[in-house]
Amino acid sequence: MPIQLITPPVQEPVSLAEAKVHLRVDFEDDDALIGSLLVAARQAAESLTHRQLVSARWRLVLDSFPGPSLMGVPAGQPFTLPGHAILIPKSPVACVVEIRYLDMAGAFEVMPPQNYTVD
């Protein structure tokens, strides 16, 4: 599932000032380095946990609507999610801006929000 970052986080979970206090750094020479390490630490934590620590906007592109066999569950086998559920690789999801798909005629359609839920 290709997922693409559209709008990165505006701030880090730990500010530069907080990190410098923790590190006992009282000069500005290493501010750029410390800032880049804060970004790298957040990205590593998000990658390992599959969780979004700070609000960001992502785009998820799928080749088709999923079904039970596309999620690795053989058809007819019990499964806790609906067979057509789209599993988003980042959580928690604050909102879905839109679900857009290509219909059988090759035209883009937007799925009405009442046709899906975000849990």
Side-chain angles (χ1 to χ4, degrees):
M1 278 191 267
I3 188 164
Q4 176 186 11
L5 181 62
I6 302 299
T7 307
V10 184
Q11 62 186 25
E12 295 302 322
V14 177
S15 71
L16 178 62
E18 291 169 325
K20 287 175 69 171
V21 167
H22 178 76
L23 296 169
R24 295 183 178 94
V25 173
D26 58 1
F27 52 89
E28 298 177 3
D29 297 355
D30 293 332
D31 282 5
L33 173 62
I34 295 168
S36 65
L37 292 172
L38 289 171
V39 172
R42 175 191 46 83
Q43 289 173 338
E46 289 176 347
S47 178
L48 287 170
T49 63
H50 301 288
R51 300 200 47 93
Q52 187 67 39
L53 301 178
V54 184
S55 292
R57 188 170 177 186
W58 294 86
R59 174 181 292 137
L60 176 64
V61 178
L62 303 174
D63 291 337
S64 63
F65 282 105
S69 62
L70 296 176
M71 294 187 333
V73 178
Q77 295 294 317
F79 191 63
T80 57
L81 292 173
H84 58 279
I86 296 173
L87 303 176
I88 300 173
K90 292 277 186 180
S91 68
V93 175
C95 72
V96 172
V97 175
E98 74 176 1
I99 297 176
R100 190 168 44 141
Y101 63 95
L102 212 55
D103 68 12
M104 297 300 284
F108 279 106
E109 301 284 340
V110 175
M111 183 177 290
Q114 62 267 24
N115 289 1
Y116 59 87
T117 61
V118 178
D119 293 329

